[in-house]
Amino acid sequence: MTATSIALVGIGKIARDQHVPALAASPAFELAATVSRSGGVEGVENFNSVEALVRDRPDIRVLSFCTPPQVRYPGARAALEAGCHVMLEKPPGASLSEVHALEALASDKGLTLFATWHSRHAASVAQAKEWLADKAVKSVRIDWKEDTRVWHPGQRWIWQAGGLGVFDPAINAFSILTEILPVPVHVSGAELRFPGNCETPIAGEVRMDGPCGPLVIADLDFLHEGDPFWRQTFQTDGGTLTLDQGGAIMEIDGARHAGEDWKKPGIHGEYDGLYAKLADLLKAGASEVDLRPMTLVADAFTLGRRLDAPDFFDPALQET
């Protein structure tokens, strides 16, 4: 099988840590170019803009966007206008409306648009969905806690409007929740803690209702020291299912049933799954744009009470 040429747009931490290794391992794609103003990938042609890329490399018809969400829309639109298929890192945009606009443009042009949720490809998510399918879920507890200074060092955009703050990791939990929960949920309330020097929250609690009332509580913290705590617990009429390590490990009533430890070196399975899915969508001439996780985040901002938190300082940003 001949690999499809693909370009990465935005060569930051997520691109280097996940996208580049996943593409190197993919039989379906070959990294043929990058778009970055701060350095590309060694041995790969780099461009300063999407417009320059689509003009000078007409052989590349697939672009994967890893830029911060606040600056993603113009480049993604330019790619679609030029007849290129587009894959979007999560969250797919800075607003729901701009992603809807991209979805409509892709549909009009008969192009693939893939709004990705990498956590849905964690090792145990599919098994958890299958197990929950015939269960009555009584309650869900989400604990999503990590240290932003470890996982997002120096990433100023997270604290600017549109950067989501603690919801940048928490939207991963919501993407799993909406994938595996057999009933729909909607946000019913939230308390969000905003540092005085940031435009996005650093911690919070989000409550969600299902069809029959309160169902989900999410406890979110972006200053959690030590190992990250990415866990969801589902109390059902058939037992308790726990998804741990961001969906990597599944336990039922305390007994491990499936999964791989996320700490093992060399595991890029979530992003391997994304690019395998992209290849399937391209082959089928289809798109996938599921905005339910982003809708939950938007509703948390809409309904959430704003609470004050101490100013946040990241040593990597050299703030004083």
Side-chain angles (χ1 to χ4, degrees), residues 129-190:
K129 180 178 182 178
E130 182 179 358
W131 190 86
L132 286 171
D134 61 352
K135 307 294 190 301
V137 180
K138 300 177 179 179
S139 67
V140 182
R141 169 83 188 190
I142 297 173
D143 292 285
W144 219 258
K145 304 176 182 183
E146 65 182 67
D147 190 341
T148 181
R149 294 159 297 196
V150 173
W151 293 91
H152 302 275
Q155 295 185 358
R156 192 184 305 275
W157 63 268
I158 288 178
W159 307 109
Q160 298 170 341
L164 299 189
V166 72
F167 286 108
D168 182 71
I171 203 170
N172 295 333
F174 295 172
S175 72
I176 294 173
L177 179 74
T178 52
E179 174 69 10
I180 71 176
L181 195 64
V183 296
V185 292
H186 61 274
V187 174
S188 55

Side-chain angles (χ1 to χ4, degrees), residues 123-124 127 131 240-245 247-264 267:
S124 295
Q127 296 97 316
W131 190 86
T240 300
L241 181 147
T242 302
L243 269 181
D244 209 348
Q245 298 185 12
I249 301 294
M250 182 176 82
E251 295 181 352
I252 299 173
D253 294 330
R256 181 163 167 170
H257 276 241
E260 294 180 324
D261 194 319
W262 68 270
K263 296 180 184 178
K264 290 182 180 178
I267 289 180

Side-chain angles (χ1 to χ4, degrees), residues 1-315:
M1 180 179 66
T2 302
T4 298
S5 294
I6 190 171
L8 281 179
V9 183
I11 307 300
K13 180 174 173 56
I14 193 66
R16 296 187 185 278
D17 289 354
Q18 301 293 351
H19 289 262
V20 172
L23 286 170
S26 173
F29 296 101
E30 177 185 10
L31 180 58
T34 60
V35 177
S36 176
R37 294 179 179 176
S38 58
V41 174
E42 186 177 356
V44 178
E45 186 177 14
N46 184 60
F47 294 86
N48 287 329
S49 69
V50 170
E51 290 80 3
L53 168 70
V54 298
R55 180 191 67 226
D56 295 345
R57 290 294 304 271
D59 58 306
I60 300 175
R61 310 316 297 165
V62 184
L63 278 67
S64 178
F65 282 78
C66 311
T67 50
Q70 299 100 315
V71 299
R72 192 175 299 158
Y73 175 80
R77 185 172 188 90
L80 291 169
E81 292 281 12
C84 297
H85 307 286
V86 167
M87 173 169 150
L88 303 171
E89 175 62 76
K90 67 86 188 173
S95 71
L96 289 163
S97 56
E98 71 180 32
V99 184
H100 283 304
L102 293 175
E103 184 179 20
L105 178 59
S107 178
D108 288 345
K109 288 186 166 291
L111 297 167
T112 291
L113 179 66
F114 182 23
T116 68
W117 302 108
H118 65 80
S119 290
R120 289 182 174 178
H121 294 266
S124 295
V125 170
Q127 296 97 316
K129 180 178 182 178
E130 182 179 358
W131 190 86
L132 286 171
D134 61 352
K135 307 294 190 301
V137 180
K138 300 177 179 179
S139 67
V140 182
R141 169 83 188 190
I142 297 173
D143 292 285
W144 219 258
K145 304 176 182 183
E146 65 182 67
D147 190 341
T148 181
R149 294 159 297 196
V150 173
W151 293 91
H152 302 275
Q155 295 185 358
R156 192 184 305 275
W157 63 268
I158 288 178
W159 307 109
Q160 298 170 341
L164 299 189
V166 72
F167 286 108
D168 182 71
I171 203 170
N172 295 333
F174 295 172
S175 72
I176 294 173
L177 179 74
T178 52
E179 174 69 10
I180 71 176
L181 195 64
V183 296
V185 292
H186 61 274
V187 174
S188 55
E191 284 79 42
L192 307 178
R193 300 188 178 277
F194 286 76
N197 61 340
C198 297
E199 297 170 346
T200 56
I202 202 163
E205 179 181 281
V206 179
R207 298 177 297 279
M208 304 178 199
D209 286 4
C212 300
L215 186 61
V216 181
I217 293 179
D219 185 11
L220 316 175
D221 186 1
F222 221 178
L223 287 175
H224 175 76
E225 296 183 354
D227 285 343
F229 196 71
W230 300 319
R231 180 178 297 166
Q232 303 190 51
T233 304
F234 300 78
Q235 302 285 348
T236 81
D237 62 347
T240 300
L241 181 147
T242 302
L243 269 181
D244 209 348
Q245 298 185 12
I249 301 294
M250 182 176 82
E251 295 181 352
I252 299 173
D253 294 330
R256 181 163 167 170
H257 276 241
E260 294 180 324
D261 194 319
W262 68 270
K263 296 180 184 178
K264 290 182 180 178
I267 289 180
H268 301 279
E270 294 180 10
Y271 283 82
D272 293 343
L274 290 184
Y275 282 102
K277 178 67 174 181
L278 176 61
D280 289 343
L281 290 171
L282 292 171
K283 184 177 180 179
S287 290
E288 183 175 292
V289 184
D290 180 2
L291 294 180
R292 289 177 296 167
M294 195 171 174
T295 298
L296 293 176
V297 171
D299 287 351
F301 274 99
T302 299
L303 296 174
R305 290 196 308 126
R306 180 184 178 117
L307 305 176
D308 293 334
D311 285 1
F312 170 69
F313 297 100
D314 179 356

